[in-house]
Amino acid sequence: MIQVQVGDITRLEVDAIVNAANSSLLGGGGVDGAIHRAAGPELLAYCRGLGGCETGDAKITPGFRLPARYVIHTVGPVWRGGDAGEPDLLASCYRRSLELAVENAAVSIAFPCISTGVYGYPKSAAAEIAVATVRDFARLDAIEQVVLCCFDEPAAILHRRALEDNQ
Ligand code: ADP
C-alpha cells in the first residue's frame, strides 16, 4: 500500500499528487515548477485565490491538465539546522496532505520528497519522517495507495530503507 516509485510525479495516474510548494502558492522551481507546467495556467490562476499557505499546512486544488484529479499543495520547512521545529513541520505536511485527501475522497496519493530540494532538508532524515508519518496516519484505512515518488534512485534507496526499518 505504501510504494516507492522513481520518476516524474506529474505523470502519475493517482487521485491526488502533492506539491512541495512555497508559502505564496504562486509557483516556483523544482517539483512546483514541473507541476504548474504540466497542469497549465489554470492552476496558477486558481492558486491566486487561495491566499497562500502556512508552513506545515496544505491546500487542495483541481489538477486541471494533469492526470491527477487534485493537487495538494503543502509548504515544507526550510532546513535551518534542525532546532527550528523542522521535523514536526515536515511531519505535519504529510499528515495535512493525507487529511485533505481523505476529506476529498481521494484514495490514491503521491508525494514528492518534500523539503529535500532547495529547502535543504537532509534526505535520509526526511525519508524517515515521510515513512513514519504515513504509517502512523490515523485514517490510513481510507486510503488505498500512497506513492512516495522519488526523482532519482538514491532517494528511492533511502525510502525503501526507511520502509524496511520502520515495519
Ligand atoms: P523544496 O523546496 O520543498 O525543497 P524542491 O522542488 O526543490 O522542493 O524539491 C523537492 C523534491 O522534489 C526534490 O527531492 C526533487 O528532486 C524532487 N523533484 C523535482 N522535480 C520533480 C518531479 N517532476 N517529480 C518528482 N519529484 C521531483
Short mmCIF file of all heavy atoms in Angstrom, two decimals, residues 7-10 20 29-32 34 112-120 123 149 151, ligand 1:
data_model
loop_
_atom_site.label_atom_id
_atom_site.label_comp_id
_atom_site.label_asym_id
_atom_site.label_seq_id
_atom_site.Cartn_x
_atom_site.Cartn_y
_atom_site.Cartn_z
N GLY A 7 10.53 8.57 -10.52
CA GLY A 7 10.03 9.20 -11.74
C GLY A 7 9.47 10.58 -11.49
O GLY A 7 9.66 11.17 -10.44
N ASP A 8 8.76 11.05 -12.53
CA ASP A 8 8.21 12.40 -12.54
C ASP A 8 6.79 12.33 -11.98
O ASP A 8 5.92 11.68 -12.58
CB ASP A 8 8.21 12.88 -14.00
CG ASP A 8 7.62 14.24 -14.18
OD1 ASP A 8 7.10 14.84 -13.20
OD2 ASP A 8 7.65 14.74 -15.32
N ILE A 9 6.55 13.02 -10.89
CA ILE A 9 5.25 12.94 -10.21
C ILE A 9 4.10 13.44 -11.09
O ILE A 9 2.97 13.01 -10.93
CB ILE A 9 5.30 13.70 -8.85
CG1 ILE A 9 4.19 13.22 -7.92
CG2 ILE A 9 5.28 15.21 -9.05
CD1 ILE A 9 4.36 13.69 -6.48
N THR A 10 4.41 14.33 -12.02
CA THR A 10 3.34 14.90 -12.86
C THR A 10 2.72 13.86 -13.79
O THR A 10 1.65 14.08 -14.34
CB THR A 10 3.83 16.08 -13.72
OG1 THR A 10 4.79 15.60 -14.67
CG2 THR A 10 4.45 17.17 -12.86
N ALA A 20 5.29 20.21 -3.42
CA ALA A 20 6.15 20.87 -2.43
C ALA A 20 6.22 22.34 -2.84
O ALA A 20 7.11 22.74 -3.59
CB ALA A 20 7.53 20.22 -2.41
N GLY A 29 10.40 26.76 -8.48
CA GLY A 29 11.19 25.83 -9.27
C GLY A 29 10.91 24.40 -8.84
O GLY A 29 9.90 24.12 -8.21
N GLY A 30 11.80 23.50 -9.19
CA GLY A 30 11.72 22.11 -8.74
C GLY A 30 10.39 21.46 -9.11
O GLY A 30 9.84 21.68 -10.19
N VAL A 31 9.88 20.69 -8.18
CA VAL A 31 8.66 19.94 -8.45
C VAL A 31 7.46 20.89 -8.64
O VAL A 31 6.55 20.62 -9.44
CB VAL A 31 8.42 18.88 -7.34
CG1 VAL A 31 8.03 19.50 -6.02
CG2 VAL A 31 7.42 17.85 -7.78
N ASP A 32 7.48 22.01 -7.95
CA ASP A 32 6.43 23.02 -8.07
C ASP A 32 6.34 23.53 -9.52
O ASP A 32 5.25 23.57 -10.12
CB ASP A 32 6.79 24.18 -7.11
CG ASP A 32 5.64 25.11 -6.82
OD1 ASP A 32 4.55 24.92 -7.38
OD2 ASP A 32 5.85 26.05 -6.04
N ALA A 34 7.44 22.04 -12.20
CA ALA A 34 7.03 20.93 -13.07
C ALA A 34 5.51 20.73 -13.01
O ALA A 34 4.85 20.51 -14.03
CB ALA A 34 7.76 19.65 -12.67
N PRO A 112 6.01 13.91 -3.41
CA PRO A 112 7.42 14.08 -3.74
C PRO A 112 8.20 14.10 -2.42
O PRO A 112 7.58 14.02 -1.34
CB PRO A 112 7.45 15.47 -4.39
CG PRO A 112 6.41 16.23 -3.63
CD PRO A 112 5.33 15.21 -3.25
N CYS A 113 9.52 14.20 -2.49
CA CYS A 113 10.32 14.24 -1.26
C CYS A 113 10.36 15.69 -0.77
O CYS A 113 11.28 16.45 -1.09
CB CYS A 113 11.72 13.72 -1.53
SG CYS A 113 11.72 12.07 -2.26
N ILE A 114 9.31 16.04 -0.01
CA ILE A 114 9.08 17.42 0.42
C ILE A 114 10.30 17.98 1.17
O ILE A 114 10.88 17.27 2.01
CB ILE A 114 7.84 17.48 1.34
CG1 ILE A 114 6.60 16.96 0.61
CG2 ILE A 114 7.59 18.90 1.87
CD1 ILE A 114 5.43 16.63 1.55
N SER A 115 10.65 19.19 0.86
CA SER A 115 11.73 19.96 1.52
C SER A 115 13.15 19.50 1.19
O SER A 115 14.11 20.13 1.64
CB SER A 115 11.59 19.97 3.06
OG SER A 115 10.60 20.88 3.48
N THR A 116 13.31 18.42 0.42
CA THR A 116 14.67 17.89 0.23
C THR A 116 15.39 18.47 -0.99
O THR A 116 16.50 18.05 -1.31
CB THR A 116 14.66 16.35 0.08
OG1 THR A 116 13.97 16.00 -1.12
CG2 THR A 116 14.00 15.70 1.28
N GLY A 117 14.76 19.43 -1.67
CA GLY A 117 15.42 20.09 -2.79
C GLY A 117 16.03 21.40 -2.31
O GLY A 117 16.91 21.40 -1.44
N VAL A 118 15.55 22.50 -2.85
CA VAL A 118 16.07 23.82 -2.47
C VAL A 118 15.96 24.08 -0.97
O VAL A 118 16.77 24.82 -0.41
CB VAL A 118 15.31 24.98 -3.15
CG1 VAL A 118 16.22 26.15 -3.42
CG2 VAL A 118 14.60 24.55 -4.41
N TYR A 119 14.96 23.49 -0.30
CA TYR A 119 14.76 23.76 1.12
C TYR A 119 15.77 23.03 2.01
O TYR A 119 15.83 23.27 3.22
CB TYR A 119 13.33 23.44 1.55
CG TYR A 119 12.33 24.53 1.17
CD1 TYR A 119 12.70 25.62 0.39
CD2 TYR A 119 11.01 24.49 1.60
CE1 TYR A 119 11.79 26.61 0.04
CE2 TYR A 119 10.09 25.48 1.26
CZ TYR A 119 10.48 26.54 0.47
OH TYR A 119 9.58 27.52 0.15
N GLY A 120 16.56 22.14 1.43
CA GLY A 120 17.77 21.64 2.09
C GLY A 120 17.61 20.64 3.23
O GLY A 120 18.56 20.40 3.98
N LYS A 123 18.23 14.36 3.35
CA LYS A 123 17.36 13.43 2.62
C LYS A 123 17.01 12.18 3.42
O LYS A 123 15.89 11.69 3.35
CB LYS A 123 18.00 13.05 1.29
CG LYS A 123 18.08 14.22 0.31
CD LYS A 123 18.90 13.84 -0.91
CE LYS A 123 19.33 15.03 -1.74
NZ LYS A 123 18.26 15.68 -2.49
N CYS A 149 7.05 9.26 -4.35
CA CYS A 149 7.60 9.44 -5.69
C CYS A 149 8.97 10.10 -5.60
O CYS A 149 9.07 11.29 -5.29
CB CYS A 149 6.65 10.27 -6.54
SG CYS A 149 7.29 10.58 -8.20
N PHE A 151 12.58 11.28 -7.22
CA PHE A 151 13.01 11.78 -8.52
C PHE A 151 14.23 11.03 -9.02
O PHE A 151 14.53 11.05 -10.21
CB PHE A 151 13.29 13.27 -8.43
CG PHE A 151 13.13 14.02 -9.72
CD1 PHE A 151 12.09 13.70 -10.59
CD2 PHE A 151 13.99 15.04 -10.06
CE1 PHE A 151 11.93 14.39 -11.78
CE2 PHE A 151 13.83 15.74 -11.24
CZ PHE A 151 12.81 15.42 -12.11
P1 ADP B 1 11.54 22.00 -1.69
O1 ADP B 1 11.53 23.49 -1.94
O2 ADP B 1 10.39 21.55 -0.82
O3 ADP B 1 12.86 21.51 -1.24
P2 ADP B 1 12.00 21.05 -4.44
O4 ADP B 1 11.02 21.08 -5.57
O5 ADP B 1 13.22 21.90 -4.57
O6 ADP B 1 11.16 21.38 -3.13
O7 ADP B 1 12.47 19.56 -4.20
C1 ADP B 1 11.67 18.59 -3.60
C2 ADP B 1 11.98 17.24 -4.21
O8 ADP B 1 11.29 17.10 -5.45
C3 ADP B 1 13.45 17.00 -4.54
O9 ADP B 1 13.82 15.75 -3.99
C4 ADP B 1 13.48 17.00 -6.07
O10 ADP B 1 14.47 16.10 -6.55
C5 ADP B 1 12.11 16.46 -6.39
N1 ADP B 1 11.56 16.75 -7.74
C6 ADP B 1 11.84 17.75 -8.60
N2 ADP B 1 11.08 17.65 -9.70
C7 ADP B 1 10.30 16.54 -9.55
C8 ADP B 1 9.31 15.88 -10.34
N3 ADP B 1 8.94 16.35 -11.54
N4 ADP B 1 8.73 14.76 -9.83
C9 ADP B 1 9.07 14.27 -8.62
N5 ADP B 1 9.98 14.85 -7.82
C10 ADP B 1 10.59 15.97 -8.28
#
